[in-house]
């Protein structure tokens, strides 16, 4: 009964599907969409510490920094400065709400191309900005670009990758985000001493946009997306590329067609369908997972790493080097996740990473409280500043093999075909919405909460680790079309799914 009710929900990709060269190349190219998001995360924090940039756009911050007894936590507290960073995320939020329809209508690949082109335009405007209005306009276009690619790419990867290795392939997106962050921090370090360095840093965002857009133009769309849009011949070719030229793909293609027909026959607005009782667990995860990812504080630390390290006693160059080190540690830990996520599962990494991040945030708060004083007017010694960096690196490693890649993976793999793009759209919108609020308030929070800011994030990390332990079932190695069984067996979510199965059975 249960299988009959749900087996038509998604594409069947056999558990024994092999990894072909085509799948590997295609997934690497698709995952490179993460470059633009990562580059932007890394570049904005470094640029906002460059004196020529501040002198041109935010001179009040330089005046505040020159004051003799400035609270170290409050130097960069400027709503105009945070608007420069956070405007991208409110634009990304708006883009993600329309991206589900675009992804369904245009396909996953074409949405990635559109995102790359939009990001390219935003990077060009930012590089040539003459005033704050141009800066914000460029950031908004960057936001639209990131909104489109963050919507389409994780879904693309989950639909193309074999179930047994879906976690590893999907972490590629986060890995490229990490590469983008490190590249941006290195560029900031190289350009910081030049009067035009900020222009080069912002303008070079065009490079990852060109790379990912050109790459996306060379790959085919996912079989699921092509079937969904009635392109059956292309869908068969895409399947043959993914499974190997001599593979028998007829059964898989037939199942994809069946899934698509059932979804269309329902003829329901996806944004209404997703609120049905049987999809309650999916909706909760689509909201909860990206929200929790952001309240770890990782993106805030990534945005403002140079600012943060300057605040706790590093010089400008040292602060940029510290940000590079932090990015490299995060990048290495994502590789760890790639190799273990399909062996040990999602839950194990979520819980382990959560504990690690919690301990580090509490320790950072303790070090800052002991060394800077309650008022924050004492200057931290170099030794303690290095200790803060070490703790931040351990924290970044915990994020890199848990909440970083897995927060993109889980929403992309749990939804049935008919609401998959809608679910991913909600997930990305929550991610951007939370990031916007946090990035807009972080520097003010740092100024008023001081070291307590890190305790604030530690509290959230503790809460989300408990949430995962209680409510997130294990999804490793399960084909997308069989994901219903995961919820059906769960101690809490089973009541929502099983009641729907019974009602469907009675109606027949």
């Amino acid at each position: 009964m249960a299988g009959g009710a749900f087996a038509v929900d998604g594409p069947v990709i056999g558990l024994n599907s092999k990894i072909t060269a085509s799948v590997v190349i295609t997934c690497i190219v698709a995952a490179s969409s993460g470059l633009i998001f990562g580059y932007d995360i890394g570049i904005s924090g470094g640029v906002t510490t460059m004196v020529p940039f501040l002198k041109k756009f935010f001179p009040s911050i330089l005046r505040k920094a020159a004051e003799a007894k400035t609270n170290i936590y409050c130097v960069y507290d400027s709503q105009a400065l945070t608007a420069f960073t956070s405007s991208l995320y409110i634009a990304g939020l708006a883009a993600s709400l329309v991206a589900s329809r675009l992804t369904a209508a245009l396909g996953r690949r074409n949405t990635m191309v559109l995102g790359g082109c939009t990001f390219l335009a935003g990077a060009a405007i930012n590089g040539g900005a003459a005033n704050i209005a141009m800066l914000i306009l460029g950031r908004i276009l960057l936001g639209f670009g990131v909104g489109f690619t963050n919507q389409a790419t994780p879904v693309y990867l989950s639909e193309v990758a074999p179930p047994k290795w879906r976690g590893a392939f999907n972490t590629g997106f986060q890995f490229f985000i990490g590469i983008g962050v490190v590249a941006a921090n290195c560029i900031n370090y190289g350009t910081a001493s030049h009067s035009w360095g900020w222009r080069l840093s912002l303008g070079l965002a065009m490079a990852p946009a060109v790379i990912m857009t050109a790459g996306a133009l060379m790959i085919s769309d996912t079989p699921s997306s092509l079937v969904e849009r009635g392109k059956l011949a292309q869908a068969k070719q895409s399947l043959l590329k993914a499974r190997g030229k001599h593979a028998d793909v007829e059964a898989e293609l037939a199942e994809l067609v069946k899934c698509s027909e059932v979804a269309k026959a329902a003829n329901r607005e996806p944004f209404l369908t997703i609120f049905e009782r049987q999809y309650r667990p999916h909706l909760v995860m689509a909201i909860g997972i990206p929200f929790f990812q952001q309240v770890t504080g990782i993106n805030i630390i990534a945005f403002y790493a140079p600012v943060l390290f300057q605040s706790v006693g590093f010089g400008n160059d040292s602060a940029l080097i510290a940000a590079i080190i932090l990015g490299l540690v995060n990048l290495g830990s994502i590789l760890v996740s790639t190799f273990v996520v399909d062996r040990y599962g999602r839950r194990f990494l979520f819980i382990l990473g959560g504990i690690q991040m919690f301990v580090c945030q509490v320790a950072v708060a303790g070090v800052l409280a002991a060394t800077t004083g309650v008022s924050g007017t004492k200057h931290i010694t170099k030794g303690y500043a290095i200790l803060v960096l070490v703790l931040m690196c351990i924290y970044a490693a915990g994020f890199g093999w848990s909440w970083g890649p897995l927060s993109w993976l889980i929403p992309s793999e749990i939804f049935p075909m008919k609401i998959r793009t809608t679910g991913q759209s909600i997930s990305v919108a929550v991610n951007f919405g939370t990031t916007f609020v946090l990035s807009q308030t972080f520097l003010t929070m740092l100024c008023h909460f001081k070291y307590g800011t890190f305790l604030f994030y530690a509290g959230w990390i503790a809460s989300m680790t408990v949430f995962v332990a209680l409510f997130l079932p294990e999804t490793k190695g399960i084909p997308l079309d069989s994901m219903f069984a995961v919820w059906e067996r769960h101690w809490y979510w089973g009541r929502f799914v099983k009641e729907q199965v019974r009602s469907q059975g009675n109606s027949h």
Side-chain angles (χ1 to χ4, degrees):
M1 177 77 70
F6 287 87
V8 294
D9 269 342
V12 174
I13 303 177
L15 278 169
N16 296 318
S17 295
K18 296 178 180 178
I19 298 177
T20 63
S22 177
V23 165
V24 172
I25 293 168
T26 298
C27 286
I28 289 173
V29 170
S32 70
S33 297
L35 281 172
I36 61 173
F37 190 30
Y39 187 90
D40 184 81
I41 290 171
I43 213 71
S44 54
V47 165
T48 53
T49 66
M50 294 182 186
V51 172
F53 176 81
L54 293 173
K55 189 180 291 184
K56 183 171 180 63
F57 298 108
F58 308 102
S60 62
I61 291 174
L62 290 177
R63 288 194 297 272
K64 192 186 296 184
E67 293 176 7
K69 292 187 178 179
T70 300
N71 184 319
I72 66 164
Y73 294 106
C74 299
V75 171
Y76 292 94
D77 180 19
S78 162
Q79 288 301 302
L81 181 62
T82 48
F84 164 71
T85 298
S86 61
S87 55
L88 179 145
Y89 298 92
I90 200 68
L93 169 62
S96 64
L97 293 175
V98 300
S100 67
R101 295 183 185 278
L102 278 176
T103 310
L106 300 179
R108 289 44 160 160
R109 187 204 73 157
N110 291 337
T111 304
M112 283 159 27
V113 171
L114 177 62
C117 292
T118 311
F119 191 93
L120 187 66
I125 291 173
N126 266 356
N131 50 52
I132 291 179
M134 285 184 71
L135 274 183
I136 301 298
L137 174 61
R139 296 288 291 172
I140 288 171
L141 288 174
L142 295 177
F144 275 106
V146 170
F148 292 146
T149 55
N150 286 14
Q151 153 75 18
T153 304
V155 172
Y156 185 103
L157 293 168
S158 283
E159 289 183 344
V160 168
K164 188 177 179 181
W165 308 106
R166 187 171 58 241
F169 279 103
N170 211 290
T171 59
F173 181 62
Q174 182 71 26
F175 182 72
F176 274 101
I177 291 177
I179 290 176
V181 171
V182 171
N185 285 328
C186 291
I187 288 168
N188 278 338
Y189 179 71
T191 61
S193 59
H194 300 283
S195 61
W196 42 262
W198 64 270
R199 288 196 186 277
L200 187 59
S201 289
L202 294 177
L204 278 176
M206 291 188 289
V210 168
I211 291 169
M212 63 83 43
T213 305
L217 287 169
M218 293 189 290
I219 59 176
S220 61
D221 213 337
T222 69
S224 298
S225 178
L226 292 166
V227 167
E228 194 177 16
R229 291 180 288 141
K231 300 183 177 184
L232 299 186
Q234 291 181 36
K236 184 175 180 179
Q237 287 302 117
S238 181
L239 272 175
L240 285 169
K241 278 185 181 179
R243 306 289 171 255
K245 291 182 179 180
H246 303 295
D248 183 6
V249 298
E250 294 299 334
E252 188 171 347
L253 181 62
E255 186 65 28
L256 285 170
V257 172
K258 184 180 178 183
C259 294
S260 180
E261 288 174 350
V262 169
K264 288 176 181 176
N267 199 28
R268 289 268 293 171
E269 166 58 47
F271 270 103
L272 295 177
T273 302
I274 203 169
F275 285 96
E276 292 176 2
R277 183 176 173 82
Q278 63 178 310
Y279 300 122
R280 189 70 49 79
H282 307 70
L283 183 61
V284 169
M285 293 303 159
I287 294 171
I289 295 293
F291 171 78
F292 283 137
Q293 185 200 41
Q294 290 310 308
V295 293
T296 61
I298 187 67
N299 272 355
I300 305 306
I301 288 168
F303 295 148
Y304 301 116
V307 170
L308 189 64
F309 288 128
Q310 273 200 351
S311 295
V312 298
F314 286 96
N316 189 41
D317 285 351
S318 297
L320 291 172
I321 291 172
I324 292 170
I325 293 169
L326 199 66
L328 286 171
V329 169
N330 182 53
L331 194 59
S333 62
I334 295 167
L335 280 178
V336 173
S337 180
T338 301
F339 289 108
V340 303
V341 66
D342 292 311
R343 175 174 296 181
Y344 296 107
R346 285 63 159 148
R347 280 170 50 83
F348 171 77
L349 290 177
F350 266 133
I351 294 169
L352 179 66
I355 294 170
Q356 185 174 335
M357 288 189 291
F358 172 79
V359 171
C360 289
Q361 290 283 49
V362 171
V364 167
V367 171
L368 291 178
T371 56
T372 64
V374 175
S375 64
T377 53
K378 295 180 184 177
H379 281 281
I380 189 170
T381 63
K382 186 176 181 181
Y384 281 113
I386 291 171
L387 177 58
V388 169
L389 173 60
V390 170
L391 288 169
M392 286 292 190
C393 286
I394 299 171
Y395 162 87
F399 179 86
W401 57 54
S402 62
W403 283 87
L406 300 185
S407 296
W408 298 107
L409 170 61
I410 296 295
S412 73
E413 70 180 0
I414 61 174
F415 286 98
M417 183 196 287
K418 60 187 173 186
I419 54 171
R420 189 170 298 144
T421 57
T422 304
Q424 182 68 12
S425 176
I426 291 173
S427 179
V428 173
V430 171
N431 187 298
F432 281 132
T434 310
T435 307
F436 169 73
V437 172
L438 292 178
S439 60
Q440 189 64 33
T441 59
F442 174 72
L443 293 177
T444 299
M445 185 189 298
L446 187 64
C447 181
H448 291 87
F449 284 18
K450 304 177 177 64
Y451 62 84
T453 302
F454 299 95
L455 294 177
F456 170 82
Y457 289 121
W460 280 112
I461 292 167
S463 301
M464 67 201 217
T465 304
V466 173
F467 172 83
V468 165
L470 292 176
F471 296 110
L472 181 68
E474 185 54 66
T475 55
K476 72 168 184 174
I478 298 171
L480 299 185
D481 69 307
S482 302
M483 202 62 76
F484 71 91
V486 167
W487 306 104
E488 197 177 34
R489 293 191 300 265
H490 192 267
W491 71 273
Y492 181 76
W493 299 122
R495 70 190 71 181
F496 295 92
V497 178
K498 286 175 182 175
E499 284 178 16
Q500 185 64 26
V501 171
R502 283 198 294 272
S503 67
Q504 287 182 356
N506 292 335
S507 68
H508 291 308

